[in-house]
Amino acid sequence: MVTISKFTLLFNTIRYLKPIQIRYRLKYFIRNRFGKNPSLQTGTSISEPKVEKLKFSKAIHNCNSYKSSNSFTFLNLEHSFTDKIDWNYPEYGRLWTYNLNYFEFINQGTITVNEGLKLIDEFIETISNNKVGLESYPISLRIMNWIRFFITHNINDSKYQNSLWLQLQLLCKQKEYHLLGNHLLENGFALLFGSYYFNDISLYKQARNILINELDEQILEDGAHFELSPMYHCLMTYRVLDCFNLVSNNNLFNQELLQLLKDRAEKMLAFMNNFTFRNGDIPLFNDAANSIAPTPNQLQSYAKELNLAPTKHLKLSDSGYRKLASENIELFFDIGEVGPTYQPGHAHADTLSFELHLKGKPFIVDSGTSTYEINNTRLHERSTIAHNTVTINDENSSEVWSGHRVAKRAKVSILKESSERIVASHDGYLKKFGVRHTRELSLTENGLTIIDDIENETGIAHFHFAPEISFNITGNQLEGEYFNIIFNNCDSLKSKSTYYSPEFNKRIENTKIMVSFKGKLTTHITVK
């Protein structure tokens, strides 16, 4: 493999940032290093809390992550606190601790009001020692979850209102303009909830500014969230639906954002319809895992309760995702750019990869995402060899590194496109090897044909099969119960045991096929 210097990686990562990100990174660095960090103590407490009596329609219950007696399960990892809850608990990684501080569990269907209040009380008692929970992202999610809980159960207590107010003031001082993306959008959603809860015009103006700008920036023309993760798309759709729920049910601020939220929600619902398999599964492109966001079916049901419907006649376009489908075939194809350019933290080096269902069941799958920790597993799951595409000399098509960084990125050209055939190429190998990878996918009468062209170079095509798929290998063919695959112009065919991660911290053994070839490889998949 080609060795890339850390300086080069850093330069090719930073050069894509927006000026506002650099400005805020410098601002926060200088403030944290030489000034005084904002804290709850620097906020202003409200002497006489004035809270609006709000309405909020029945929403989706969050998943059951609280198991009673201070026992929690997040990301398929369970921990029971024997005494007080350690809100900075580090043993399962930062994302687990974030989930603990989100407080989504107080809106699960199995928790009682008294249990919820007990957990909030314990959080408030130790808040001054809470480092993770006072970061902007967990503050944002916790604000929304607390407010929803208080509205739902008609709780009016100055202790909770004071704590919420101080957390909102802290959020105002550290909005995540250095990151942008879904982080800043979550800040905006939280400020909107806070502005309605306290009927506060200052909070509302900040929320409005973020939401108008970011919903315009982050929701693409085909309705996709621009980070191009199906999981985050579902999460952002959930937030927009909750905000529409809040605004439509309460006549504050002239319901100024109602039409914006309605338009974006209906576009996002349309994308979700277009980008979901018939069995209800989402493709696991980029950072995506099941059991994190509400499912497409849950979101569609919630939208129906709010009298929202997907925008009609919206097709996959700006996202760079495409679909080929017949009676027995469903295929989603990634011909999009690494994105967004200035915040590709959830991107993988998966250009020209695909997921395939045969006869309504998973067949060729993305390897998935099992961790956000910076380790070899994370690097592997973001790498090109973990996806259903072609590698040359084991190199990544885009330079993914660290936990959430991307340096040089593959650029995609869409060469031909119809309802039955798509041809695209990328230049991720052009500077290193002088070739482009061109992939053609086309539906046939009884299956699918894939043509991979890397000019005169030698490469490996990777195919990751769903765990339940078994087959026999004979020469250049795979034969299974209801399918047959022939690889034309392959030099060798090897199977390898690997793993599939449909959820965080869940790794299921599966089989991948590595097909070595030179120049052009033609793969015929026939459904019996």
Side-chain angles (χ1 to χ4, degrees), residues 47 213 221 243 263 382 401:
S47 56
N213 292 330
E221 283 303 309
C243 287
D263 290 345
R382 296 183 76 207
W401 65 286

Side-chain angles (χ1 to χ4, degrees), residues 313-329:
H313 312 305
L314 207 60
K315 296 181 179 179
L316 297 175
S317 58
D318 286 20
S319 63
Y321 291 130
R322 296 295 187 271
K323 181 177 183 178
L324 294 177
S326 62
E327 182 180 357
N328 292 316
I329 293 272

Side-chain angles (χ1 to χ4, degrees), residues 380-397:
H380 169 75
E381 289 174 353
R382 296 183 76 207
S383 71
T384 305
I385 63 171
H387 299 87
N388 301 302
T389 186
V390 172
T391 58
I392 297 176
N393 197 31
D394 292 332
E395 287 291 321
N396 289 326
S397 55

Side-chain angles (χ1 to χ4, degrees), residues 416-434:
K416 295 179 182 179
E417 183 176 359
S418 69
S419 61
E420 296 185 343
R421 178 172 174 256
I422 303 171
V423 185
S425 70
H426 76 78
D427 67 355
Y429 301 127
L430 191 59
K431 286 191 175 180
K432 292 178 182 177
F433 306 109

Side-chain angles (χ1 to χ4, degrees), residues 95-112:
L95 187 59
W96 196 96
T97 315
Y98 263 31
N99 274 268
L100 178 65
N101 283 274
Y102 294 161
F103 265 79
E104 291 185 339
F105 42 81
I106 60 172
N107 291 308
Q108 66 187 46
T110 59
I111 198 168
T112 67

Side-chain angles (χ1 to χ4, degrees), residues 309-471:
T311 304
K312 294 180 180 178
H313 312 305
L314 207 60
K315 296 181 179 179
L316 297 175
S317 58
D318 286 20
S319 63
Y321 291 130
R322 296 295 187 271
K323 181 177 183 178
L324 294 177
S326 62
E327 182 180 357
N328 292 316
I329 293 272
E330 278 183 289
L331 180 143
F332 287 109
F333 189 23
D334 183 356
I335 53 174
E337 305 289 348
V338 169
T341 302
Y342 55 84
Q343 180 48 282
H346 296 296
H348 291 196
D350 62 352
T351 307
L352 304 190
S353 186
F354 67 93
E355 279 202 46
L356 174 63
H357 280 200
L358 293 187
K359 295 188 174 183
K361 298 178 181 179
F363 182 65
I364 293 176
V365 296
D366 191 282
S367 292
T369 300
S370 70
T371 183
Y372 278 176
E373 295 298 298
I374 301 176
N375 54 29
N376 288 334
T377 298
R378 176 69 172 156
L379 290 173
H380 169 75
E381 289 174 353
R382 296 183 76 207
S383 71
T384 305
I385 63 171
H387 299 87
N388 301 302
T389 186
V390 172
T391 58
I392 297 176
N393 197 31
D394 292 332
E395 287 291 321
N396 289 326
S397 55
S398 293
E399 291 176 348
V400 291
W401 65 286
S402 188
H404 295 85
R405 302 283 184 263
V406 187
K408 290 183 180 178
R409 302 100 192 263
K411 299 294 183 182
V412 180
S413 299
I414 302 172
L415 306 177
K416 295 179 182 179
E417 183 176 359
S418 69
S419 61
E420 296 185 343
R421 178 172 174 256
I422 303 171
V423 185
S425 70
H426 76 78
D427 67 355
Y429 301 127
L430 191 59
K431 286 191 175 180
K432 292 178 182 177
F433 306 109
V435 300
R436 299 179 68 94
H437 172 207
T438 301
R439 170 166 273 185
E440 175 182 338
L441 298 178
S442 57
L443 295 174
T444 61
E445 184 176 348
N446 55 355
L448 174 76
T449 295
I450 305 168
I451 300 175
D452 288 302
D453 189 346
I454 49 174
E455 299 171 17
N456 202 38
E457 189 58 72
T458 299
I460 298 175
H462 303 263
F463 300 90
H464 299 78
F465 290 87
E468 60 273 15
I469 301 299
S470 60
F471 46 78

Side-chain angles (χ1 to χ4, degrees), residues 39-41 70 72 81 83-89 97 100-101 103 105 117-135 142 146 159-160 163 166-167 170:
S39 67
L40 288 177
Q41 286 68 40
N70 288 355
F72 300 87
F81 294 96
D83 188 18
K84 293 290 185 179
I85 296 170
D86 178 3
W87 300 100
N88 296 302
Y89 183 72
T97 315
L100 178 65
N101 283 274
F103 265 79
F105 42 81
L117 292 175
K118 176 180 176 293
L119 291 165
I120 292 173
D121 288 338
E122 187 166 341
F123 180 87
I124 292 174
E125 287 172 10
T126 58
I127 195 168
S128 60
N129 298 318
N130 192 329
K131 294 182 179 179
V132 176
L134 294 184
E135 293 180 24
R142 184 171 57 252
W146 280 19
K159 174 174 66 172
Y160 305 135
S163 181
L166 291 173
Q167 291 178 61
L170 181 57

